[in-house]
Amino acid sequence: MSQIFSFAVKTIFTVGAQYTRNPKDASLLLSLISFGDVYFPPSKRQRVVLPTLFSAFEKKPVSIDVLPDECLFEIFRRLSGPQERSACAFVSKQWLTTVSSIRQKEITVPSKIPEDGDNCEGTLSRSLDGKKRTDVRLAANAVGTAGRGILGKLSIRGSNSGKVSDLPLRSIGRSCPSLGSLSLWNVSTITDNGILEIAAGCAQLEKLDLNRCSPITDKNLVDIAKSCPNLTDVTLEACSRIGDEGLLAIARSRSKLKSVSIKNCPLVRDQGIASLLSNTTCSLAKLKLQMLNVTDVSLAVVGHYGLSITDLAPRWIAHAVSEKGFWVMGNGVGLQKLNSLTIPACQGVADMGLESVGKGCPNMKKAIISKSPLLSDNGLVSFAKASLSLDSLQLEECHRNTQFGFFGSLLNCGEKLKAFSLVNCLSIRHLTTGLPASSHCSALRSLSIRNCPGIGDANLAAIGKLCPQLEDIDLCGLKGTTESGNLHLIQSSLVKIKLSGCSNLTDRVISAITARNGWTLEVLNRDGCSNITDASLVSIAANCQILSDLDISECAISDSGIQALASSDKLKLQILSVAGCSMVTDKRLPAIVGLGSTLLGLNLQQCRSISNSPVDFLVGSLYKCDALS
């Protein structure tokens, strides 16, 4: 035993950089020598660190990013096809950034020709909104789509959270040379360099939509105009740094430009509109101007140079535009191809100017005029007379127009007008005088009167006499009418009837409609008609052969009426709404399952007598139907 202690004291055990002289460390001593009868008194075990002894067995982490970007770039651009590059891009963020930086012209190996059944030539669409709109996700979409098809349409809609830099725009420009449509909404952190990458790499761009993109300037539009010869559709909205110079560049460089929409861009003035029209005389077909600081000069230019314009919408343009502007536009004889005119909320619309527009646009078929406080009955009738091809007219919130302007327009449109709509025209009153006995408007097929409280039974009777060929009737909120007036409108073969909010409507009217038009009626809406009961549903079930859309929301129907519908072997309903019908209970929900073979939409909202469990059963049974409860 003394020899052992003597050996331990005199010998120094070296383990790495640590030294131990403690002869009582049994764990170390017994690992080196094997003696069965060795005793040590209890003592605190010392910590032994052995880094050198086990260092050869430790695994060091291996990084996939040890190669510099230059080497990765040379490797990736020599891969055989876009699918291989896309696969590499998803290995790491560094590889994704490297792959997305490769331009198509820098690829040295031709892309693989797709075999039969390969979808590489397909056109893809991507839309990234809100939190999905990140640099990495955008770059991944740009690179990833290259392996599965051609990215044809990309929409980036921003939000207050998250920022987009120029990196994804560079990826798009370099990875998506066939991009045809680009939409940027509320993207405020990009710079000129990002747009320059798009312009340089996406030469096939046809549609450009910029909305609330404050960093984008005229310089960016100039770059796009120079690099994208196929641009046909441009939309600019709330872009505070885009003005006349950008429009001029777009107009001069783009002979294929067909549609332009400009809204709330304060730097756009008359000069920009003039340069746009004068340089795109033979191509521009659609022009929308809204909330701009322009004057009568712009309307005069439109009237003179708009030789190819088919759709024109000067909306909410500045107060500097007057009746003179519309008069000059009509007399410019340039709008010979105009098909649709929309003039909402323009203070300059008055009698003489609107009549001039009607005369100067002989092929105009559709006109929408709203919030025009200077337009009177005389101007409306004169416009109807002058518009030789007008077949659709809508008036909204034109409070100087009365029943005389309305019926005068119908009489003077004669054989051409097919659709007429009145919305929120508060000056229309009960008709107190009769119409000429020989008068008629035989072409009118669609009539919509919504929220015009002055309309009464005499007006409906006159309409029924004047327009015998009506097929589509939409009467909403006419509380001054009764069943007597409504019965005058059902003499023709009706296809669509919407009678929502007509509180005086009764079962008698519905029975008469279904009895006469059961073989032609496709849509019936009685939303909010509180006097309608189960008797109407019994009549519908017995007479309607092709009815596909039925809305009986907030009516006085009960389980008996639902049972009558379900028992009919004629009905093939696709849409059914019983929202707010408090007398419909759980008992008749199984009956609705009988309609399930054709039912695609069901509305059970605010039905207080229906509990959740039967609704869940119903939704599970109607697997083809979208249900609201």
Side-chain angles (χ1 to χ4, degrees):
M1 182 69 69
S2 61
Q3 293 177 355
I4 296 176
F5 278 102
S6 175
F7 172 79
V9 170
K10 293 180 180 179
T11 306
I12 299 176
F13 295 95
T14 303
V15 183
Q18 303 294 326
Y19 300 91
T20 176
R21 300 178 183 272
N22 189 355
K24 298 181 181 181
D25 193 340
S27 61
L28 178 60
L29 180 61
L30 294 179
S31 64
L32 299 176
I33 56 177
S34 178
F35 293 93
D37 298 328
V38 179
Y39 171 77
F40 294 101
S43 63
K44 184 176 180 180
R45 178 176 295 180
Q46 288 186 342
R47 182 179 180 183
V48 179
V49 182
L50 308 174
T52 304
L53 185 62
F54 298 101
S55 60
F57 301 98
E58 293 181 357
K59 293 184 178 180
K60 296 182 179 180
V62 179
S63 174
I64 61 175
D65 298 328
V66 293
L67 289 177
D69 292 344
E70 293 78 6
C71 294
L72 291 174
F73 180 89
E74 293 298 327
I75 294 172
F76 292 153
R77 76 187 187 97
R78 287 173 169 79
L79 293 177
S80 59
Q83 293 179 335
E84 288 76 7
R85 285 189 293 274
S86 298
C88 292
F90 290 101
V91 172
S92 70
K93 186 176 180 180
Q94 182 195 10
W95 287 27
L96 170 63
T97 304
T98 305
V99 173
S100 64
S101 67
I102 303 175
R103 301 181 187 273
Q104 290 297 313
K105 62 182 180 180
E106 294 172 332
I107 298 175
T108 58
V109 179
S111 298
K112 180 183 64 175
I113 300 177
E115 299 176 357
D116 294 339
D118 200 341
N119 294 324
C120 287
E121 296 300 325
T123 300
L124 305 176
S125 297
R126 292 292 182 267
S127 179
L128 299 175
D129 304 343
K131 294 181 179 179
K132 297 179 181 179
R133 181 188 56 92
T134 63
D135 284 356
V136 174
R137 188 181 289 266
L138 286 170
N141 272 273
V143 176
T145 52
R148 288 176 288 143
I150 299 173
L151 184 62
K153 183 178 180 180
L154 177 64
S155 175
I156 305 173
R157 295 175 180 261
S159 64
N160 294 329
S161 60
K163 303 294 183 181
V164 170
S165 67
D166 292 334
L167 174 62
L169 296 186
R170 186 190 70 172
S171 303
I172 295 166
R174 298 188 178 188
S175 303
C176 308
S178 299
L179 186 68
S181 175
L182 176 63
S183 177
L184 300 177
W185 283 44
N186 194 22
V187 180
S188 58
T189 53
I190 59 177
T191 67
D192 290 349
N193 293 330
I195 300 298
L196 184 61
E197 291 282 356
I198 293 290
C202 302
Q204 303 300 318
L205 194 65
E206 295 180 359
K207 296 183 180 181
L208 178 65
D209 183 1
L210 304 177
N211 190 319
R212 287 180 291 169
C213 298
S214 54
I216 298 180
T217 65
D218 286 333
K219 180 181 179 298
N220 301 138
L221 283 188
V222 172
D223 294 335
I224 292 175
K226 292 179 179 179
S227 304
C228 304
N230 297 321
L231 202 61
T232 61
D233 191 327
V234 175
T235 299
L236 306 174
E237 181 173 344
C239 296
S240 57
R241 302 178 66 185
I242 292 179
D244 296 342
E245 182 182 351
L247 292 183
L248 178 60
I250 290 289
R252 285 180 175 177
S253 303
R254 304 282 67 80
S255 59
K256 298 181 180 180
L257 197 63
K258 296 183 181 300
S259 176
V260 174
S261 176
I262 309 172
K263 177 181 178 181
N264 193 21
C265 295
L267 298 183
V268 174
R269 305 297 177 89
D270 290 329
Q271 183 180 357
I273 302 301
S275 62
L276 181 68
L277 267 296
S278 60
N279 286 277
T280 57
T281 299
C282 298
S283 62
L284 191 63
K286 296 182 180 181
L287 179 62
K288 177 181 176 182
L289 307 175
Q290 187 171 354
M291 301 174 66
L292 300 178
N293 296 321
V294 296
T295 66
D296 292 335
V297 174
S298 292
L299 293 186
V301 171
V302 171
H304 184 75
Y305 289 105
L307 303 180
S308 298
I309 291 181
T310 59
D311 296 83
L312 178 62
R315 304 182 178 187
W316 285 96
I317 49 182
H319 293 286
V321 172
S322 65
E323 183 179 13
K324 181 181 178 181
F326 285 95
W327 184 87
V328 175
M329 184 177 74
N331 282 276
V333 299
L335 297 174
Q336 299 295 306
K337 294 184 179 181
L338 187 68
N339 180 273
S340 175
L341 175 65
T342 302
I343 313 177
C346 187
Q347 302 293 324
V349 176
D351 296 347
M352 185 174 64
L354 193 60
E355 181 183 3
S356 175
V357 171
K359 292 180 180 179
C361 306
N363 294 302
M364 181 172 56
K365 294 184 177 182
K366 180 180 180 180
I368 300 176
I369 305 170
S370 68
K371 298 181 181 179
S372 300
L374 301 180
L375 182 63
S376 68
D377 289 337
N378 292 331
L380 182 60
V381 174
S382 299
F383 175 70
K385 286 182 180 180
S387 302
L388 302 177
S389 303
L390 191 67
D391 62 17
S392 177
L393 177 60
Q394 177 177 326
L395 296 179
E396 182 176 353
E397 295 187 38
C398 295
H399 299 309
R400 287 192 64 188
N401 295 119
T402 68
Q403 63 275 15
F404 299 107
F406 169 60
F407 284 103
S409 301
L410 290 178
L411 291 172
N412 284 278
C413 284
E415 300 295 330
K416 54 189 177 182
L417 192 64
K418 296 180 180 179
F420 201 117
S421 178
L422 288 176
V423 182
N424 296 326
C425 293
L426 304 181
S427 296
I428 296 181
R429 297 287 183 262
H430 295 285
L431 189 65
T432 56
T433 60
L435 299 176
S438 60
S439 60
H440 63 280
C441 186
S442 58
L444 195 69
R445 296 293 187 270
S446 176
L447 176 67
S448 176
I449 304 177
R450 304 178 63 84
N451 301 322
C452 299
I455 293 288
D457 290 338
N459 301 85
L460 298 186
I463 292 171
K465 179 181 178 181
L466 186 62
C467 310
Q469 302 298 324
L470 283 175
E471 296 178 355
D472 184 353
I473 296 177
D474 183 2
L475 306 179
C476 177
L478 304 187
K479 298 182 179 181
T481 60
T482 65
E483 65 178 28
S484 175
N486 284 277
L487 288 173
H488 286 90
L489 295 178
I490 63 172
Q491 304 305 314
S492 58
S493 298
L494 297 175
V495 177
K496 298 180 181 180
I497 303 178
K498 297 181 180 180
L499 304 171
S500 59
C502 299
S503 56
N504 295 323
L505 195 66
T506 63
D507 291 328
R508 181 187 173 192
V509 176
I510 301 302
S511 298
I513 291 174
T514 55
R516 182 178 178 83
N517 302 282
W519 288 92
T520 60
L521 194 61
E522 298 178 3
V523 177
L524 179 58
N525 185 325
R526 303 172 305 172
D527 181 12
C529 300
S530 57
N531 293 325
I532 298 298
T533 67
D534 294 335
S536 293
L537 299 189
V538 173
S539 178
I540 291 172
N543 298 298
C544 293
Q545 307 291 323
I546 60 173
L547 187 67
S548 62
D549 189 335
L550 177 61
D551 190 342
I552 46 178
S553 302
E554 299 184 8
C555 294
I557 63 171
S558 66
D559 289 341
S560 299
I562 298 298
Q563 183 62 44
L565 292 178
S567 300
S568 174
D569 57 354
K570 299 178 180 180
L571 280 178
K572 304 296 181 182
L573 286 178
Q574 296 182 1
I575 306 296
L576 175 63
S577 177
V578 293
C581 297
S582 58
M583 291 189 289
V584 177
T585 68
D586 297 342
K587 296 180 180 179
R588 288 296 175 262
L589 287 185
I592 298 179
V593 179
L595 301 170
S597 59
T598 58
L599 205 60
L600 301 178
L602 177 64
N603 189 352
L604 298 173
Q605 291 181 314
Q606 300 179 0
C607 293
R608 294 188 295 272
S609 300
I610 298 178
S611 55
N612 293 331
S613 298
V615 170
D616 294 338
F617 165 77
L618 182 65
V619 172
S621 301
L622 302 176
Y623 60 92
K624 293 182 180 181
C625 179
D626 291 331
L628 298 176
S629 60

